[in-house]
Amino acid sequence: MAHDVEFGLDTFGDVTVDLDGNPVSHAQVLRNVAAEAVLADEVGLNFFGIGEHHRDDFAVSSPEVLLGAIASQTKNIHLGSAVTVLSSDDPIRVFQKFATLDAVSNGRAEVIVGRGSFTESFPLFGFDLQDYEKLFEEKLDLFAHLVQGGPVTWQGTIRPALNEQAVYPTVEGGKLKTWIGVGGSPQSVVRAAQYGLPLMLAIIGGDPLRFRPYVDLYHQALAQLELETLPIGQHSPGFIAETDDEAKNLMFPHYQVMHERIGRSRGWPPLSRAQFEHEAGPEGALFAGSPESVAQKLARSIHGLGVSRFDLKYSLGTLPHEHLMNSIRLYGEVVVPRVRELLAEMD
């Protein structure tokens, strides 16, 4: 079991500051993300995912273009989205872009589709938030048809019907690897099973093990549908430095500002240091600390949930690029081998 687990990184291209505290331009953040991905490939990680946002505190609005640039500078690492906001995009164009990425990367493309927890893309692209559910359900249905390959026949209410419509380029290795990103609704878990798509759980608060019922529900749904077992992944935030104190002290001010900024529009109370320490503790969803602390926590979560992929959301607000690079290096070179050892002991 232990050797089957994949380890990845996710970023939203958070706009950072430099080591002197000065804001970095969007353009420089995009170049830094590419450098982070190259390092992730060098230290042997399995996946690098880039999320899509349309607001001033995140630099990435077009992940596929950046992933294409990264594909040309990397050799082994799989590349994908984290997540593609399918509701406000065109499923056919999304499929074409990732099929193209798959070609130029020699079969390394993956896509994680989801609702996305930010809604800025809806007014930007002319969609009504009142159609939130319908847009996602119908576009996911169309995308699932596209992933199956071959000409597509489909009809819904959001666009004209398709009749034996071929879509190019075709995916060389068979099917485009597609995950459904889920934040914690049972309906979404069951839907992923119904489409026969792997499940990516976004676990960003509380004890990750409380998601075990969703894992069980997914397996039950697949079994009832008489479908084969499919991968389940976990996406959680974290940051690694040489010691626990260093990791937490470097991370907290940046994480607190990000939490406050996002929380303003969502009605979250401000994040206290005590809450942060709890989330970064043994049973929280924040994988922050020394390599050994993070490895122990990862092994607990991976074993307890039975996931076969863990993606560390390593970009954390304005935390500088230099610290992120160090965190990536420690994750790939120290944490991952240690987690594999711990999992082997648990098997």
Side-chain angles (χ1 to χ4, degrees), residues 27-327:
Q28 186 58 50
V29 170
L30 292 168
R31 292 189 286 268
N32 287 348
V33 169
E36 288 153 15
V38 169
L39 177 59
D41 188 43
E42 287 171 2
V43 297
L45 294 169
N46 302 107
F47 176 77
F48 191 86
I50 304 179
E52 163 203 347
H53 293 80
H54 305 273
R55 42 188 286 154
D56 65 349
D57 44 349
F58 299 106
V60 180
S61 61
S62 183
E64 305 91 348
V65 178
L66 186 51
L67 290 165
I70 290 167
S72 70
Q73 300 175 56
T74 54
K75 293 185 176 69
N76 301 310
I77 198 163
H78 278 225
L79 304 168
S81 57
V83 306
T84 296
V85 185
L86 203 55
S87 319
S88 55
D89 213 328
D90 179 336
I92 295 174
R93 290 298 282 149
V94 171
F95 179 82
Q96 289 175 325
K97 289 171 187 173
F98 279 93
T100 301
L101 175 66
D102 196 67
V104 298
S105 67
N106 283 316
R108 291 187 280 137
E110 298 185 14
V111 57
I112 303 174
V113 296
R115 285 180 166 78
S117 59
F118 293 82
T119 55
E120 289 84 5
S121 59
F122 285 81
L124 182 63
F125 298 121
F127 293 102
D128 190 335
L129 270 171
Q130 289 186 314
D131 297 330
Y132 187 80
E133 288 296 327
K134 180 176 75 175
L135 285 166
F136 183 71
E137 286 171 13
E138 291 200 16
K139 289 185 177 187
L140 178 61
D141 189 58
L142 173 52
F143 196 79
H145 277 76
L146 292 161
V147 169
Q148 292 305 316
V152 172
T153 298
W154 181 90
Q155 71 180 79
T157 64
I158 54 166
R159 55 153 296 141
L162 296 170
N163 185 29
E164 288 293 300
Q165 179 66 55
V167 177
Y168 305 106
T170 54
V171 176
E172 194 171 39
K175 285 184 190 172
L176 178 66
K177 185 164 187 182
T178 303
W179 302 71
I180 296 188
V182 173
S185 87
Q187 296 87 345
S188 299
V189 172
V190 171
R191 181 186 290 136
Q194 286 169 336
Y195 283 117
L197 294 174
L199 185 70
M200 180 61 70
L201 295 167
I203 303 178
I204 58 172
D207 188 340
L209 297 192
R210 69 195 171 90
F211 277 74
R212 183 71 214 199
Y214 291 120
V215 172
D216 295 339
L217 176 64
Y218 181 66
H219 287 311
Q220 286 161 9
L222 287 173
Q224 282 175 352
L225 294 159
E226 297 182 352
L227 294 173
E228 62 184 312
T229 305
L230 291 167
I232 300 175
Q234 175 183 348
H235 154 108
S236 292
F239 173 68
I240 304 150
E242 273 68 15
T243 67
D244 288 347
D245 284 348
E246 185 187 0
K248 290 189 281 195
N249 290 336
L250 281 171
M251 178 182 167
F252 178 67
H254 302 280
Y255 192 71
Q256 185 183 38
V257 169
M258 176 180 75
H259 188 279
E260 193 177 306
R261 193 171 171 146
I262 295 169
R264 247 175 274 157
S265 60
R266 301 189 187 181
W268 297 347
L271 180 73
S272 69
R273 179 73 192 226
Q275 285 171 299
F276 171 79
E277 289 284 347
H278 178 75
E279 280 295 329
E283 294 176 4
L286 200 53
F287 291 77
S290 68
E292 182 62 23
S293 295
V294 172
Q296 292 283 349
K297 197 164 167 175
L298 274 173
R300 173 185 182 268
S301 188
I302 290 165
H303 185 262
L305 291 175
V307 296
S308 57
R309 171 121 127 233
F310 181 90
D311 289 346
L312 184 75
K313 198 276 182 177
Y314 73 92
S315 60
L316 301 152
T318 48
L319 191 64
H321 167 65
E322 291 80 1
H323 297 319
L324 301 181
M325 291 290 271
N326 188 50
S327 179

